[in-house]
Amino acid sequence: MTDLKDATRAPDWQDDVRQGVRHVRDLDCLPLSPAERAAAQAAAALHKVRAPKAYLDLIDWNDPADPIRAQVIPSLGELEEVEGELGDPIADHEFSPVPRLTHRHADRVLLFPTYQCAVYCRFCFRKESLTSIGRGYTREALEPALAYIADHPEIREVILTGGDPLSLPDKALAEIFARIEAIPHVRLLRIHTRVPVALPSRITSGLVAVLQGRLMVTVVTHFNHAREITPATEVACRIMRQAGFVLLNQSVLLKGVNDNVEVLEELCRELMYRLGVKPYYLHHGDLARGMAHRRTTIAQGQALVEALRARLSGICNPVYVLDLPEGGGKVSLGPCPIEGREGDTWRIRGQDGVVRTYREIVGE
Ligand code: SF4
């Protein structure tokens, strides 16, 4: 195992990018069978392909069902569209009053500084925005969105999402941070990113320095499998923790990747105990096009979460949620332990499966 000191001397993150897959033609360098390569090339024409070397190095190429490979190597399943799937599964565009911003809930907005990522995840629910818009950051492009935030005093949280905001250079991040920090009613900056997972060498002391100031900063990482947790990701998360950032993780429940209680248990424990990252959400698969082969049923998800509840402490347990179509927001999918109610007496199932009663006793 590489120790943490060695990991801090890891190659420059730009080498990781340069030596990874950046174009469809780079798929030729991977140990794929001719059929897998043809499938990957066909799927990559629909949804861009990119993966840093550090992430590709985690793949066991002898295992066709490797969970890292499933997340990043394009496959034929993506070409199978099923009726009812959606190009914009949670209606980002419908709630977008100005370009590069979505305002669905009063106190927070999503801000899209770039539509480019360090890694293109095959399951991404914004993949059609990334493909059709495909634009990077410019100061001018973000101006209407920043003016909108300044004009809406009810906005307390700005969520940088993507595209992956941490794929931007420090200089661009510093500009964006300074502009948001100058808006007095904004209290919290959230950064949603796969960079600590797929390109951990990008998390440097220089990067965190440009994100330190008046704003409370929360970084929401996106680990889906314990195999993504490495000495390099430990260093990345340590740098962010030492900078004072709150670290949370959201995972997506993916068939063939993590739809297994042992896999989820290990992921949640390692996130909390090894990285200091609180498992926050476990997302049920939304209706992104070409993702039927990676979705589970809700009943399967509930059974997994119920088993996790019994195994993990509260701090290690994520909340199982679905981001509803049409901008309905995130709702918890339970499972709900309430079996029934008669007047002020509730019947509630315990972690041991036994139903007990709880009578409400409330003073005047
Ligand atoms: S990094 Fe995020 S936005 Fe980019 S492809 Fe992956 S999930 Fe989608």
Side-chain angles (χ1 to χ4, degrees), residues 86-161:
L86 302 165
D88 180 14
I90 64 169
D92 281 338
H93 300 314
E94 202 180 316
F95 289 85
S96 178
V98 292
R100 294 191 178 231
L101 180 137
T102 291
H103 195 182
R104 219 181 331 257
H105 308 286
D107 66 343
R108 54 204 185 270
V109 290
L110 301 177
L111 183 64
F112 302 89
T114 177
Y115 291 96
Q116 295 171 351
C117 304
V119 61
Y120 289 113
C121 315
R122 307 324 297 172
F123 53 82
C124 179
F125 71 90
R126 293 215 171 94
K127 61 185 176 182
E128 299 201 22
S129 296
L130 306 182
T131 300
S132 61
I133 300 171
R135 286 189 235 120
Y137 165 74
T138 65
R139 238 177 269 163
E140 298 69 34
L142 221 51
E143 218 43 66
L146 292 169
Y148 180 92
I149 296 168
D151 283 348
H152 287 76
E154 72 276 22
I155 296 170
R156 300 278 188 271
E157 294 183 29
V158 174
I159 301 163
L160 300 185
T161 187

